[in-house]
């Protein structure tokens, strides 16, 4: 329906032949948005991917909770943890973004944050979305980093779980 509306707007502007730059830009933006919405609506919603249950949403234009379409035809996965908006990454499809969201829900909603692992005391944080100091989400995985004198020191890999990244952080940066 919106696609037809955008086409009608463009035809009206073309007939008038007196477009300002602002009107032309608005018409192109409306057509682009309508095309993105039509593409998302045309894709069947997957309820499961890679063995994980995806979170469907009737109020999201993409059909998935925590997934929004960007202006470049890609999909951003995000979630709110505490008072922080955590961007999980930008993906080529809505299903990939929904999978990243599902993974993050599984990780964040785990029963407890462990204080020790592999014989190391982990650095807990109530300000971090992961529950660990220096551990951050990175496209559905976890990375460990620390800022020292304004410079970020990132461990060279990402990890499957927040606990693995917290152990790497504890090893690299000490107690």
């Amino acid at each position: 329906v919106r696609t037809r509306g955008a086409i009608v707007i463009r035809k009206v502007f073309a007939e008038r032949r007196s477009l300002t730059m602002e009107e032309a830009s608005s018409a192109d933006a409306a057509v682009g948005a309508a095309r993105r919405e039509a593409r998302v609506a045309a894709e069947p919603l997957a309820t499961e991917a890679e063995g994980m249950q995806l979170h469907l949403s009737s109020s999201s234009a993409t059909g998935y909770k925590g997934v929004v379409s960007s202006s470049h035809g890609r999909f951003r996965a995000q979630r709110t943890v505490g008072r922080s908006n955590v961007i999980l990454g930008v993906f080529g499809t809505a299903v990939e973004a929904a999978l990243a969201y599902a993974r993050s829900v599984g990780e964040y909603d785990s029963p407890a944050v462990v204080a020790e692992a592999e014989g190391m005391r982990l650095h807990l944080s109530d300000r971090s979305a992961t529950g660990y100091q220096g551990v951050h989400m990175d496209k559905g995985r976890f990375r460990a980093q620390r800022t020292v004198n304004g410079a970020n020191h990132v461990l060279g890999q990402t990890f499957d779980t927040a606990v693995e990244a917290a152990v790497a952080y504890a090893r690299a940066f000490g107690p």
Side-chain angles (χ1 to χ4, degrees):
V1 173
R2 287 189 176 182
T3 303
R4 282 183 270 161
I7 292 170
V8 169
I9 290 171
R10 186 176 256 178
K11 284 181 181 177
V12 168
F13 283 153
E15 290 172 3
R16 285 178 38 201
R17 304 242 189 244
S18 59
L19 294 178
T20 66
M21 289 299 283
E22 190 173 305
E23 290 171 327
S25 177
S26 293
D28 284 341
V31 169
R35 284 183 182 152
R36 281 191 303 280
E37 287 178 18
R39 184 172 63 108
V40 169
E43 296 174 3
L45 290 179
T47 59
E48 188 177 304
E50 295 183 18
M52 296 199 73
Q53 187 69 34
L54 303 180
H55 300 261
L56 302 180
S57 171
S58 61
S59 63
S60 170
T62 63
Y64 296 103
K65 184 174 182 181
V67 177
V68 295
S69 63
S70 71
S71 60
H72 300 291
R74 296 179 53 85
F75 298 88
R76 185 175 68 232
Q78 62 188 26
R79 78 171 273 160
T80 303
V81 178
R83 293 183 299 176
S84 300
N85 186 33
V86 179
I87 296 175
L88 306 171
V90 179
F91 303 88
T93 68
V95 173
E96 289 173 326
L99 182 59
Y101 179 86
R103 284 183 179 139
S104 78
V105 169
E107 183 65 29
Y108 289 142
D109 292 345
S110 62
V113 174
V114 296
E116 285 190 29
E118 297 181 24
M120 308 222 35
R121 184 181 65 81
L122 305 181
H123 303 266
L124 303 180
S125 172
D126 60 349
R127 296 184 338 176
S128 170
T130 62
Y132 298 102
Q133 180 180 349
V135 176
H136 307 279
M137 285 292 294
D138 187 9
K139 297 179 184 169
R141 293 179 51 88
F142 298 87
R143 63 180 159 79
Q145 76 176 39
R146 184 175 185 178
T147 303
V148 178
N149 297 328
N152 277 337
H153 298 278
V154 179
L155 295 179
Q157 62 184 359
T158 58
F159 301 90
D160 291 328
T161 68
V163 173
E164 290 174 352
V167 168
Y169 180 92
R171 280 194 183 122
F173 302 114

